[in-house]
């Protein structure tokens, strides 16, 4: 699959087949994710791959518990059916660009996964201004104090095929020289 096709075809996948992803594929995806750009080339990523059912259940419970009321319809129970990447950032290498550093690697990971026939969906592992969710995830995964979870990316072989996404008109969003 070429890059344009991967970018255009990727959709959020929340249902997965009960099929293990070979370690070699997981390693390939992480090897690609760490090619992402990072502030001052700090390469601050730590990739925690979660496969244990009890840990996955706890991550789902935490996401549900800390979900804001207006998003309660979007439950995280589907995490239990995936392999989960928790993308973390070493604050001592992130130059105060914690979220940007994580999200760029997340995006590479998701496209690389899609190009190999795997589905993903992006989720946040922290809440701005409220440290509790990130703290609980850190405790669960035994992250050192200087390592912060930023993204949760469940991935697996898709068991759903969402339709092509309706996109906003390009001309609504593009500005040349001035807004
Ligand atoms: C910052 C961010 C947070 C998200 N959080 C959640 C989430 O908590 N639960 C969920 O099911 N999907 C979550 N998503 C996935 C979006 O709902 C999804 O990407 C969006 O609807 C666009 O669909 P697409 O990924 O198929 O293009 C999140 C996406 C982003 C970028």
């Amino acid at each position: 699959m070429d890059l344009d096709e991967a970018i255009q075809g990727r959709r959020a996948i929340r249902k997965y087949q009960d099929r293990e992803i070979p370690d070699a594929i997981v390693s390939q995806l992480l090897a690609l994710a760490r090619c992402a750009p990072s502030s001052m080339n700090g390469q601050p990523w730590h990739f925690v791959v979660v496969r244990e059912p009890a840990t996955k259940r706890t991550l789902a419970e935490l996401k549900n518990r800390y979900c804001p009321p207006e998003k309660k319809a979007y439950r995280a129970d589907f995490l239990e059916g995936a392999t989960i990447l928790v993308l973390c950032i070493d604050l001592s290498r992130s130059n105060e660009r914690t979220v940007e550093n994580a999200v760029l690697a997340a995006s590479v990971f998701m496209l690389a996964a899609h190009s190999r026939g795997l589905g993903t969906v992006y989720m946040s592992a922290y809440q701005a201004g409220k440290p509790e969710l990130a703290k609980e995830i850190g405790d669960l995964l035994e992250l050192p104090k200087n390592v912060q979870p930023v993204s949760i990316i469940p991935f697996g072989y898709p068991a759903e095929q969402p339709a092509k996404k309706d996109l906003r008109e390009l001309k609504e969003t593009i500005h040349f020289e001035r807004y």
Side-chain angles (χ1 to χ4, degrees):
M1 187 182 292
D2 79 10
L3 185 58
D4 290 13
E5 209 183 319
I7 291 168
Q8 288 168 332
R10 183 212 54 80
R11 292 298 322 264
I13 298 294
R14 300 181 180 86
K15 285 190 186 138
Y16 310 93
Q17 297 170 32
D18 184 14
R19 178 177 157 200
E20 203 61 50
I21 304 165
D23 287 343
I25 304 265
V26 176
S27 299
Q28 279 175 20
L29 297 177
L30 299 177
L32 289 164
R34 54 98 202 237
C35 297
S38 58
S39 173
M40 295 176 70
N41 197 24
Q43 302 182 27
W45 309 288
H46 286 275
F47 303 105
V48 182
V49 177
V50 177
R51 285 181 163 137
E52 281 178 13
T55 312
K56 295 196 285 187
R57 195 169 320 117
T58 306
L59 283 170
E61 280 165 12
L62 288 172
K63 280 295 287 176
N64 287 335
R65 181 159 12 116
Y66 286 100
C67 185
E70 69 276 12
K71 292 185 182 164
K72 282 283 182 207
Y74 297 95
R75 294 196 49 92
D77 305 299
F78 66 85
L79 283 173
E80 293 188 52
T83 299
I84 303 173
L85 169 64
V86 183
L87 213 161
C88 306
I89 294 292
D90 179 344
L91 299 179
S92 70
R93 302 179 73 107
S94 73
N95 302 300
E96 298 181 355
R97 296 289 181 266
T98 309
V99 176
E100 296 94 320
N101 284 327
V103 166
L104 283 160
S107 193
V108 172
F109 179 89
M110 293 169 75
L111 290 172
H114 175 68
S115 80
R116 286 162 175 73
L118 290 163
T120 62
V121 56
Y122 186 89
M123 300 169 85
S124 300
Y126 74 99
Q127 291 181 305
K130 296 184 194 165
E132 293 83 2
L133 173 61
K135 165 87 173 67
E136 292 218 39
I137 293 174
D139 289 347
L140 176 71
L141 303 180
E142 300 179 11
L143 302 179
K145 234 182 155 56
N146 59 316
V147 175
Q148 282 274 314
V150 177
S151 312
I152 297 174
I153 307 173
F155 61 111
Y157 293 98
E160 62 175 340
Q161 203 179 4
K164 205 161 180 285
K165 184 163 61 174
D166 279 338
L167 295 171
R168 286 176 65 190
E169 282 294 329
L170 197 53
K171 63 176 186 291
E172 279 179 25
T173 59
I174 294 184
H175 311 273
F176 291 103
E177 315 304 343
R178 305 270 193 283
Y179 185 95

